[in-house]
Amino acid sequence: MKKKSSTAKWSETETQAWIGLVKAQQHLLDKVEEELKKAGFPQLNWYDVLWELESAKDGSLRLNDIGKKVILDKHNVTRLVQRLESEGLVSRSQCPVDGRGIFACITDKGKKLRRQMWKVYEKVVRENFLCKYNKKELNEFRNFIERIQASGLSDSV
Amino acid sequence: MKKKSSTAKWSETETQAWIGLVKAQQHLLDKVEEELKKAGFPQLNWYDVLWELESAKDGSLRLNDIGKKVILDKHNVTRLVQRLESEGLVSRSQCPVDGRGIFACITDKGKKLRRQMWKVYEKVVRENFLCKYNKKELNEFRNFIERIQASGLSDSV
DNA sequence: CCATACTAGTTGCATATGCAACTATATAGG
DNA sequence: CCTATATAGTTGCATATGCAACTAGTATGG
């Protein structure tokens, strides 16, 4: 019955820091989505998967691992990869050592698309986020952020 | 044909600052969703709408304005508010001055639910985000963030 | 070697979302 | 006052997502 975890516990500053962070990022990502669509490209989560694949060894990952890197449940990974495959952006193959495992491997077409999408993505982030800060600040920023990740939160990355 | 907006343009620091920000927040929000579900509460976007309503004058907003505050297209606002209404969390009423307008007004039940959800929400954010920083840092952080909002991005807030 | 428990991935169903077409009101121009 | 155009909100349809049940392969323990 102690007055714990009640709304009053947070000062304005704290609350604002969090809400500001969420809103700012939502707006930014929203804008990225908008620009991608405008340019005729697919959604951000396609980009995320392609990016994870491209930066992985051999350009391939097991579906399960994709799900961990990107924030998606297995079900959605299965279907997202199906869609990517039907567009020729990735290819699927059995895992030789684990009969259950399926690898998704990014194709040249997939790499090309990712690169094109990145141009759009990068532009939005640069013009609305990066350009507001100098190197030193971005460094500080990154350090800030890393402290969050340092806790058990990032089971991946 | 100049080598502009190519991937190479960003240094590691810059890229990492952005990617870290996105991932950290995704993980955090994901965890909030998880905890809300575990506690038997509805999704975060219900919370967001309830929160906007409760902090608005008279606890009510026009659907259109909700859509601007929360990041949702009109279509979804209509239907989200319908769902909220069917749960008795908000009530709808015609706008007296604009025949097209519909107000959504948070009910006592809605306020109560929001408060309960906030406890869960707050806990996750406090334990995974706020507790990593001191007041001064949070202040800096907020200032950082505000620079993003300062640009045309926040048509609302 | 067989039974049990676990994990990877898939599929079906209910629900949520995005998009486009539609209704009704409001605003602007002749 | 009447037409043209824009805006608020709704609805229908296609698609995407979450959840639970299912299949197939793996690991453990007798």
Side-chain angles (χ1 to χ4, degrees):
Chain A
M1 284 305 158
K2 285 176 280 184
K3 242 176 55 171
K4 233 184 139 182
S5 24
S6 80
T7 301
K9 245 197 96 188
W10 276 9
S11 73
E12 274 302 303
T13 301
E14 291 167 318
T15 312
Q16 285 306 108
W18 170 250
I19 297 197
L21 178 63
V22 173
K23 293 229 168 184
Q25 190 179 312
Q26 278 182 340
H27 273 108
L28 215 37
L29 286 177
D30 214 51
K31 201 167 178 68
V32 174
E33 293 278 15
E34 190 188 319
E35 294 295 325
L36 284 174
K37 197 188 307 165
K38 218 183 281 179
F41 291 126
Q43 275 191 305
L44 253 179
N45 50 11
W46 285 38
Y47 178 85
D48 289 336
V49 171
L50 291 176
W51 167 248
E52 292 297 346
L53 287 176
E54 193 162 354
S55 41
K57 194 174 160 300
D58 300 326
S60 61
L61 282 173
R62 284 185 57 172
L63 297 199
N64 200 25
D65 296 324
I66 296 176
K68 280 182 216 151
K69 301 243 181 207
V70 182
I71 302 183
L72 277 172
D73 315 84
K74 328 180 182 209
H75 339 105
N76 292 326
V77 176
T78 297
R79 292 190 266 225
L80 183 44
V81 169
Q82 278 172 355
R83 276 172 248 144
L84 290 170
E85 190 186 25
S86 74
E87 297 288 333
L89 302 169
V90 308
S91 62
R92 291 157 40 112
S93 58
Q94 279 287 328
C95 173
V97 302
D98 185 339
R100 299 165 301 180
I102 304 279
F103 274 104
C105 182
I106 189 168
T107 63
D108 287 345
K109 188 176 172 191
K111 288 181 190 170
K112 189 179 166 203
L113 177 64
R114 198 207 58 83
R115 235 175 297 123
Q116 292 174 316
M117 289 176 80
W118 173 244
K119 283 186 194 167
V120 177
Y121 190 168
E122 186 266 350
K123 186 165 180 284
V124 174
V125 175
R126 179 162 38 80
E127 291 178 354
N128 295 282
F129 174 68
L130 294 179
C131 73
K132 314 270 194 231
Y133 311 95
N134 60 38
K135 295 247 178 208
K136 182 166 158 289
E137 289 170 326
L138 283 171
N139 231 323
E140 279 172 45
F141 199 89
R142 204 197 51 200
N143 289 336
F144 258 11
I145 297 297
E146 270 171 3
R147 260 191 268 175
I148 308 178
Q149 298 174 325
S151 66
L153 270 176
S154 65
D155 15 296
S156 55
V157 179
Chain B
M1 286 305 159
K2 284 175 281 186
K3 244 178 50 174
K4 234 183 140 182
S5 25
S6 80
T7 301
K9 247 196 95 189
W10 276 8
S11 73
E12 275 301 304
T13 302
E14 291 167 317
T15 312
Q16 284 308 108
W18 171 249
I19 297 197
L21 178 63
V22 173
K23 294 229 166 182
Q25 190 178 312
Q26 277 182 341
H27 272 109
L28 214 37
L29 286 177
D30 215 51
K31 201 167 177 69
V32 174
E33 293 278 15
E34 190 187 319
E35 293 296 324
L36 283 175
K37 197 188 308 167
K38 218 182 282 177
F41 291 127
Q43 275 191 304
L44 253 179
N45 50 10
W46 286 38
Y47 178 86
D48 288 336
V49 171
L50 291 176
W51 166 250
E52 292 298 346
L53 286 176
E54 192 161 356
S55 40
K57 195 175 161 298
D58 299 327
S60 61
L61 283 173
R62 285 185 57 172
L63 297 198
N64 200 26
D65 296 324
I66 296 176
K68 280 183 215 150
K69 301 242 181 209
V70 182
I71 301 184
L72 278 173
D73 315 83
K74 329 180 181 210
H75 340 105
N76 292 327
V77 176
T78 298
R79 291 189 267 224
L80 182 46
V81 169
Q82 277 172 356
R83 275 172 248 145
L84 291 170
E85 191 185 25
S86 74
E87 296 288 333
L89 303 168
V90 309
S91 62
R92 292 157 39 110
S93 58
Q94 279 286 329
C95 173
V97 302
D98 185 338
R100 298 166 301 181
I102 304 278
F103 274 104
C105 182
I106 190 169
T107 64
D108 287 344
K109 187 176 173 191
K111 286 180 192 170
K112 188 179 166 205
L113 177 64
R114 194 204 64 78
R115 235 176 296 123
Q116 291 174 318
M117 290 177 78
W118 173 244
K119 282 186 195 166
V120 177
Y121 190 168
E122 187 266 351
K123 186 165 180 285
V124 174
V125 175
R126 178 162 39 79
E127 291 178 355
N128 294 283
F129 174 69
L130 293 179
C131 72
K132 314 270 194 233
Y133 310 95
N134 60 37
K135 294 248 178 208
K136 182 166 157 290
E137 289 171 325
L138 283 172
N139 230 323
E140 279 172 46
F141 200 88
R142 205 197 51 202
N143 288 336
F144 258 8
I145 297 298
E146 270 171 2
R147 261 191 267 175
I148 308 178
Q149 298 174 324
S151 66
L153 271 176
S154 65
D155 14 298
S156 55
V157 179

